[in-house]
């Protein structure tokens, strides 16, 4: 009986873990298609194939390039000739979804959307003289008239179809009129595509930023729910799991240190541990300022901190994109004024970004304190991590320290500190304390491997960063978009869905282009922005969770609190 029941128990536990880690966040925090207006049915039916196509192009770009004739879009940028038509379809689909979304928004948002659409069409596809210019301008004016006519009326199913037709004329007719070779195997259709994507790629910076964070969020959720899935075991079983996880972390860390990679050298490890210490100090100060205290159930609940962080994910991403956009405008203005591209600049880009990110961290911290005073205390920990991140960067810059923090080393330091607190503070057999220690150890074990989910698909890709961003972006678009479920007069549900889908498809289109051109295009610096998302948002989340677990370990359990509220809330809910 036991031999049969043990595999069955493991299977049930695995099923619960998958449900908690994958199914529940998509159901609770995703776009919730069950509540979409009926008028959107033609839109999502027409948008599903291009979305699947864009993801397939990212994943299969390697075989597509190796077995196809290549066409140039600019010097040093080549893509398969057969992929030009599919890329035109993707451009039409994403722009049509965005155009249909702005039909029923507030007049200011609609105006901004139409203004952003014009350069994306006019610059790239108006290379063939008067006929193509007239075609593009005529289509844009038709779209503007359609917006004015439909703006105050109820949404209907054929609005998206009309937008597809107008934008197909604006994109495909100029591409057909200009279909010719310009010499050296360059194709005007490919040139127009690259120009269009370069013109609008900056809009996808927030999506790439969030895509870099997506796998970090999945890893943290897996680690937290993994510890809670086994939380109902006996104390002896929990002790055994803590021992196994501890041995794994020790062996893994020793191997990484012996390998000699830069993030695991002495000064980098010290700086990474310093990030944890500074975060704890700032978090303690913020808790004192807010005059609030977390309950033990909130500290250890696997979803609570992520839910409180959710409202700042996309705002931080857009703010970061705005910082780099302003930096680009300032740099261009400086070059135009001084007429020099040399190193002597009035505004140092590194200093500008550092100051702007510091201001952003302060703004997020103030917002977190205000929420804490309203009862949402857990956000103080990610905010402290964000502020500590900036403090460490300033200290290493001013002190001319040739090292920076690395989040895996920070999490390992947190797990070591957690073990020390567990041993020093006593009550070693308290389930909540065992749960906190096990969570820290699982995070330390999983965090260095958070990109492993994308590794099998990199074999067929041309740009590994594009595959990583693809998985992270899809996860974020399915789990961190609770705003799509809302509804208001100035931002109706249908417009939210189309904006969500159109923006996501636009981001996937840019990823597909970068993959088909093997990363040669100047459309977007993918690795830098994806890495920034993992560094900023990923560190906010994982260090915030680590500090929450350390806080739970610091508190002495009250009498009768061995199971605690977390055991009744989380453990029973998984059964």
């Amino acid at each position: 009986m036991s031999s049969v029941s043990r595999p069955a128990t493991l299977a049930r536990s695995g099923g619960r873990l998958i449900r908690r880690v994958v199914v529940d966040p998509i159901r609770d925090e995703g776009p919730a298609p069950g509540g979409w207006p009926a008028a959107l049915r033609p839109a999502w039916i027409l948008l599903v194939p291009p979305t699947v196509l864009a993801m397939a192009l990212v994943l299969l770009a390697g075989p597509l390039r190796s077995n196809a004739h290549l066409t140039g879009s600019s010097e040093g940028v080549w893509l398969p000739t057969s992929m030009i038509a599919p890329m035109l379809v993707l451009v039409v689909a994403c722009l049509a979804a965005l155009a249909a979304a702005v039909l029923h928004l507030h007049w200011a948002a609609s105006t901004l959307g139409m203004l952003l659409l014009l350069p994306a069409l006019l610059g790239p596809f108006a290379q063939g003289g008067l006929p193509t210019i007239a075609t593009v301008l005529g289509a844009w004016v038709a779209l503007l008239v359609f917006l004015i006519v439909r703006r105050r009326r109820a949404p209907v199913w054929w609005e998206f179809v009309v937008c597809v037709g107008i934008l197909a004329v604006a994109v495909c007719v100029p591409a057909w009129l200009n279909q010719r070779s310009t010499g050296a195997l360059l194709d005007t259709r490919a040139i127009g595509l690259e120009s269009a994507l370069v013109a609008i790629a900056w809009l996808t910076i927030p999506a790439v930023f969030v895509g870099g964070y997506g796998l970090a969020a999945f890893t943290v959720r897996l680690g937290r729910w993994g510890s809670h899935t086994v939380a109902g075991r006996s104390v002896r079983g929990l002790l055994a799991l803590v021992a196994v996880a501890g041995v794994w972390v020790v062996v893994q860390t020793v191997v990484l240190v012996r390998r000699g990679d830069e993030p695991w050298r002495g000064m980098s490890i010290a700086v990474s541990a310093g990030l944890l210490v500074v975060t704890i100090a700032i978090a303690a100060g913020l808790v004192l300022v807010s005059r609030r205290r977390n309950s033990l159930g909130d500290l250890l609940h696997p979803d609570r901190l992520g839910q409180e962080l959710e409202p700042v994910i996309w705002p931080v991403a857009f703010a970061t994109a705005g910082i780099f956009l302003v930096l680009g405008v300032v740099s261009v203005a400086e070059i135009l004024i001084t007429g020099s591209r040399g190193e002597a600049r009035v505004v140092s880009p590194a200093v500008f970004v550092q100051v702007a990110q510091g201001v952003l961290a302060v703004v997020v911290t103030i917002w977190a304190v205000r929420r804490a005073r309203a009862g949402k205390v857990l956000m103080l920990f990610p905010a402290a991590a964000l502020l500590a991140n900036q403090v460490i960067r300033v200290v290493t810059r001013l002190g001319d320290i040739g090292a920076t923090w690395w989040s895996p080393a920070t999490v390992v330091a947190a797990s070591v500190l957690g073990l020390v607190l567990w041993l020093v503070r006593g009550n070693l057999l308290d389930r909540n304390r065992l749960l906190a220690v096990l969570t820290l150890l699982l995070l330390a074990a999983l965090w260095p491997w958070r990109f492993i989910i994308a590794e099998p698909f990199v074999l067929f890709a041309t740009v590994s960063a594009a595959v990583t961003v693809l998985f992270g972006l899809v996860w974020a678009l399915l789990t961190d978009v609770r705003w799509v479920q809302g509804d208001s007069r100035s931002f109706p549900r249908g417009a939210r869905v189309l904006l969500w889908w159109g923006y996501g498809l636009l981001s996937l289109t840019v990823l597909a282009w970068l993959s088909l051109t093997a990363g040669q295009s100047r459309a977007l610096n993918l690795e830098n922005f994806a890495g920034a998302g993992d560094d900023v948002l990923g560190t906010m989340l994982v260090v915030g969770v680590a500090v929450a677990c350390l806080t739970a370990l610091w508190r002495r359990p009250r009498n009768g609190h061995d199971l605690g509220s977390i055991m009744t809330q989380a453990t029973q809910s998984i059964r």
Side-chain angles (χ1 to χ4, degrees):
M1 178 66 69
S2 60
S3 62
V4 177
S5 62
R6 186 178 296 273
T9 302
L10 291 175
R12 284 196 299 270
S13 299
R16 294 183 191 121
L17 182 61
I18 292 173
R19 177 165 59 88
R20 287 297 186 180
V21 173
V22 179
V23 178
D24 287 355
I26 295 176
R27 181 195 62 200
D28 298 335
E29 302 168 20
W36 291 359
L40 286 180
R41 183 171 298 172
W44 67 259
I45 291 176
L46 292 175
L47 285 172
V48 166
T51 304
V52 175
L53 172 64
M55 292 189 288
L57 292 180
V58 175
L59 296 175
L60 301 176
L64 289 173
R65 280 182 61 88
S66 63
N67 299 316
H69 176 267
L70 299 181
T71 295
S73 62
S74 61
E75 185 177 353
V77 180
W78 304 89
L79 79 156
T81 306
S82 59
M83 292 296 104
I84 294 178
M87 287 301 303
L88 288 172
V89 171
L90 293 181
V91 171
V92 170
C94 65
L95 293 182
L98 294 172
V102 304
L103 288 179
H104 301 285
L105 294 180
H106 188 274
W107 67 268
S110 299
T111 303
L112 178 62
M114 292 300 298
L115 291 177
L116 290 175
L117 188 62
L118 182 59
L121 296 174
L122 188 60
F125 298 111
Q127 304 176 50
L130 187 59
T132 53
I133 294 177
T135 301
V136 171
L137 283 179
W140 186 82
V141 170
L143 193 62
L144 179 62
V145 171
F146 185 61
L147 182 146
I148 295 172
V149 171
R150 295 298 310 170
R151 185 173 170 272
R152 294 184 179 276
R153 302 189 181 186
V156 291
W157 66 269
W158 47 265
E159 288 177 344
F160 176 75
V161 178
V162 171
C163 290
V164 169
I166 293 175
L167 285 163
V169 171
V171 172
C172 297
V173 170
W176 175 71
L177 291 174
N178 295 336
Q179 184 177 355
R180 67 182 187 278
S181 173
T182 62
L185 299 178
L186 299 182
D187 191 306
T188 53
R189 297 173 301 164
I191 295 173
L193 264 175
E194 183 178 20
S195 300
L197 293 172
V198 168
I200 58 180
W202 63 273
L203 292 172
T204 67
I205 291 177
V208 174
F209 191 85
V210 173
Y213 158 79
L215 290 180
F218 180 84
T219 303
V220 169
R221 189 175 183 89
L222 179 62
R224 299 206 77 179
W225 273 111
S227 63
H228 279 76
T229 301
V230 299
R233 290 179 174 270
S234 65
V235 171
R236 182 183 300 177
L238 288 177
L239 283 170
L241 290 171
V242 167
V244 171
V247 170
W248 175 271
V249 171
V250 170
V251 172
Q252 173 179 275
T253 304
V254 169
V255 170
L256 292 173
V257 171
R258 286 174 62 87
R259 201 166 62 183
D261 294 343
E262 177 60 32
W264 289 101
R265 294 179 181 173
M267 183 56 69
S268 296
I269 295 176
V271 173
S272 300
L275 173 65
L276 179 65
V277 173
V278 175
T279 301
I280 292 172
I282 294 176
L286 294 179
V287 170
L288 291 175
V289 169
S290 65
R291 300 175 184 177
R292 290 279 185 171
R293 193 182 184 194
N294 296 280
S295 69
L296 190 60
D298 284 343
L299 289 171
L300 295 179
H301 195 283
D303 288 336
R304 200 64 50 79
L305 191 144
Q307 290 171 352
E308 293 201 16
L309 180 61
E310 181 186 337
V312 304
I313 292 173
W314 285 98
V316 168
F318 276 96
T320 303
I323 290 172
F324 287 100
L325 179 62
V326 172
L327 176 62
V329 172
V330 170
S331 299
V332 171
E334 189 174 1
I335 291 172
L336 293 176
I337 294 173
T338 62
S340 172
R341 294 174 178 266
E343 296 296 329
R345 288 188 170 185
V346 177
V347 180
S348 168
V351 173
F352 176 84
V353 171
Q354 184 75 67
V355 172
Q357 290 181 337
V359 172
L360 175 61
V362 171
V363 170
V364 172
T365 303
I366 294 173
W367 177 82
V369 171
R370 292 175 64 88
R371 280 178 64 89
R373 288 176 175 172
K376 304 287 187 180
V377 189
L378 278 180
M379 184 57 205
L380 293 177
F381 297 137
L386 180 63
L387 197 56
N389 184 346
Q390 300 306 313
V391 171
I392 291 295
R393 290 182 186 275
V394 171
V395 170
T396 54
R397 182 182 180 86
L398 295 179
D400 196 22
I401 299 174
T404 185
W405 58 266
W406 198 47
S407 51
T410 303
V411 180
V412 170
S415 65
V416 172
L417 181 57
L419 282 171
V420 172
L421 286 175
W422 178 53
L423 295 171
V424 170
R425 297 290 285 180
N427 297 295
L428 300 184
L429 301 184
D430 173 54
R431 287 180 181 271
N432 284 330
R433 300 172 70 75
L434 283 169
L435 182 61
V437 172
L438 183 59
T439 300
L440 285 171
L441 291 172
L442 284 179
L443 288 178
L446 294 172
W447 192 250
W449 312 103
R450 60 195 179 280
F451 302 117
I452 198 69
I453 189 175
E455 287 300 321
F457 300 93
V458 173
L459 297 174
F460 304 103
T462 57
V463 183
S464 59
V467 179
T468 302
V469 172
L470 171 66
F471 278 91
L473 177 61
V474 170
W475 177 254
L477 288 173
L478 292 177
T479 59
D480 292 317
V481 289
R482 197 186 294 267
W483 58 271
V484 178
Q485 301 177 14
D487 194 9
S488 66
R489 184 175 180 181
S490 59
F491 198 6
R493 181 94 182 254
R496 292 171 186 249
V497 173
L498 288 171
L499 185 62
W500 163 77
W501 204 323
Y503 183 67
L505 183 55
L506 174 63
S507 305
L508 294 177
T509 302
V510 172
L511 290 180
W513 173 263
L514 292 172
S515 298
L516 289 173
T517 58
Q520 302 163 342
S521 177
R522 56 192 172 92
L524 190 62
N525 191 330
L526 195 65
E527 294 188 6
N528 284 356
F529 290 114
D534 181 69
D535 288 343
V536 176
L537 291 174
T539 300
M540 281 181 69
L541 178 60
V542 72
V543 177
V545 170
V547 174
C549 292
L550 292 174
T551 304
L553 284 168
W554 178 258
R555 292 186 183 173
R556 291 190 182 277
R558 300 174 183 175
N559 292 332
H561 196 59
D562 286 351
L563 292 179
S565 58
I566 189 61
M567 301 303 295
T568 58
Q569 293 177 22
T571 307
Q572 291 182 4
S573 64
I574 3 182
R575 292 179 176 175

